[in-house]
Amino acid sequence: MTSYFRHYQAFHAIIETGTVTGAAGRLGVSQPAISNLLAQLERRTRLKLFERNRGRLLPTPEAMVLYDEIDTVMRGLVHVNQAVVDLQNQKAGQLQVATNHAMAFGFMPGEIARFAADKPNLTVAFQSQYSAKIQEWVMAGLFEIGICELPVRHDGLEAKPFFFEILCALPDHSPLARHEVLTPSLLDDQPFIVMGADHMVTRRAREAFHNEGATLRIRCQTDLFRNALNLVKQGLGVTLVDPFTVATDPQQGYVLRRFTPRILLDVIIVTARGRPISAIGAQFLEQVSASMAALAAPETDRLEG
């Protein structure tokens, strides 16, 4: 195929343009060069490809069969060339990102949509999962970018941390809504909806209540911030919720208040150490890092739990 490529290219151009002159103009070579390539192709293939009639070249039936095959290859090369241009302009490729559930309901789809808006040839692999599994996926090369919660569980990961202030959500009819800031003392023995017992927000809330001598009365336990917020809307209690869930929620049926002492949610962007990241991945990483930084707490000192 390689040794015949210029011959096939010249043959294809003759069929497309109808003349040697047109083919020469399309390929940017001389007319004798086109004629020579065609003669060589007929000699090598031992096929008569054109009838010459009053200075015009009329393709034979054999030529049209050959043209159909060559046309498929040529159109494929056009797509390849366009793909190269798109990759150079970072308008093609595959974005591979996995995120925790809290960011998967609205924040991350919005980020992906904004990133893909001017990239019609971009394909996306997007999945949500628990933090430990996300880190395994990135380590295994299934995803380039992972967004999850601390701690880092693998030495082979690079991690960029962000810290987000947790807010308190309570039913909109609750008398506690008159307070601008809620504390463990104010929430003493109130029915609480919490994440799992080992979740950092639950551990840090338990410590905050213990330090003030208040009772953290757990009424419901769930695995997603969104589930907890939906239970608040039903009047089952109060909860501590992350800013991503709040940002993509209609905010009806509950009110938000700050909570002190401040509780932070520790989130990291992870990539595989020593594995080059694609140009598309690097570009998305820059965008999503800026968006997360805009939502992050102004200070990054942490309440250890």
Side-chain angles (χ1 to χ4, degrees):
M1 174 65 185
T2 302
S3 62
Y4 277 72
F5 178 75
R6 290 294 291 173
H7 303 81
Y8 291 148
Q9 192 178 37
F11 168 78
H12 185 267
I14 293 171
I15 297 286
E16 291 278 299
T17 64
T19 65
V20 171
T21 302
R26 171 178 287 193
L27 298 180
V29 298
S30 68
Q31 293 182 42
I34 294 294
S35 297
N36 186 48
L37 287 168
L38 179 58
Q40 290 179 14
L41 181 61
E42 288 186 317
R43 186 167 58 253
R44 288 186 177 188
T45 60
R46 296 193 294 276
L47 294 172
K48 188 173 182 60
L49 299 176
F50 292 93
E51 297 285 352
R52 290 156 178 83
N53 185 4
R54 297 180 181 179
R56 292 185 59 82
L57 295 178
L58 302 178
T60 63
E62 292 81 4
M64 294 311 299
V65 172
L66 184 60
Y67 168 78
D68 288 340
E69 297 298 327
I70 294 174
D71 186 59
T72 301
V73 174
M74 293 300 174
R75 292 185 186 278
L77 288 174
V78 169
H79 289 303
V80 170
N81 290 335
Q82 185 59 53
V84 171
V85 172
D86 287 342
L87 287 169
Q88 290 170 337
N89 295 328
Q90 296 185 2
K91 293 185 181 298
Q94 184 177 59
L95 175 64
Q96 301 171 318
V97 57
T99 183
N100 59 0
H101 295 303
M103 299 174 72
F105 288 102
F107 175 81
M108 191 56 63
E111 288 294 306
I112 291 172
R114 182 161 67 93
F115 184 73
D118 64 343
K119 302 173 180 64
N121 295 321
L122 178 71
T123 60
V124 179
F126 170 54
Q127 184 63 270
S128 64
Q129 187 51 268
Y130 294 105
S131 294
K133 182 61 69 174
I134 288 171
Q135 294 187 31
E136 290 178 13
W137 284 348
V138 174
M139 280 293 297
L142 299 177
F143 290 87
E144 267 199 320
I145 299 169
I147 303 178
C148 56
E149 297 171 7
L150 279 172
V152 179
R153 301 175 183 273
H154 301 276
D155 292 338
L157 292 174
E158 296 282 357
K160 182 177 183 179
F162 297 83
F163 306 98
F164 301 95
E165 184 174 0
I166 292 294
L167 298 173
C168 187
L170 56 157
D172 52 11
H173 60 268
S174 172
L176 291 170
R178 70 179 185 272
H179 299 282
E180 290 300 317
V181 179
L182 294 173
T183 65
S185 296
L186 288 171
L187 295 171
D188 182 34
D189 207 37
Q190 291 291 318
F192 234 90
I193 303 157
V194 300
M195 300 289 281
D198 292 331
H199 194 276
M200 71 176 71
V201 171
T202 303
R203 290 188 287 105
R204 292 171 180 180
R206 188 181 295 114
E207 181 177 341
F209 274 72
H210 174 77
N211 289 342
E212 289 195 19
T215 299
L216 178 63
R217 180 160 68 90
I218 297 175
R219 185 178 188 187
C220 300
Q221 183 172 302
T222 185
D223 58 345
L224 299 176
F225 284 113
R226 186 163 296 274
N227 290 346
L229 190 58
N230 287 335
L231 290 171
V232 172
K233 295 177 185 181
Q234 298 302 316
L236 269 71
V238 301
T239 195
L240 297 174
V241 65
D242 70 294
F244 301 104
T245 299
V246 169
T248 57
D249 189 87
Q251 297 190 21
Q252 297 176 347
Y254 65 97
V255 294
L256 293 171
R257 294 292 182 263
R258 293 194 64 190
F259 181 85
T260 186
R262 188 174 62 164
I263 292 178
L264 298 178
L265 176 68
D266 307 345
V267 176
I268 50 176
I269 299 178
V270 294
T271 55
R273 180 177 291 130
R275 184 184 301 142
I277 191 168
S278 67
I280 283 290
Q283 187 182 1
F284 181 77
L285 195 58
E286 181 178 355
Q287 174 191 301
V288 77
S289 295
S291 297
M292 290 174 64
L295 287 174
E299 301 172 12
T300 58
D301 50 312
R302 298 167 55 192
L303 175 62
E304 297 294 342

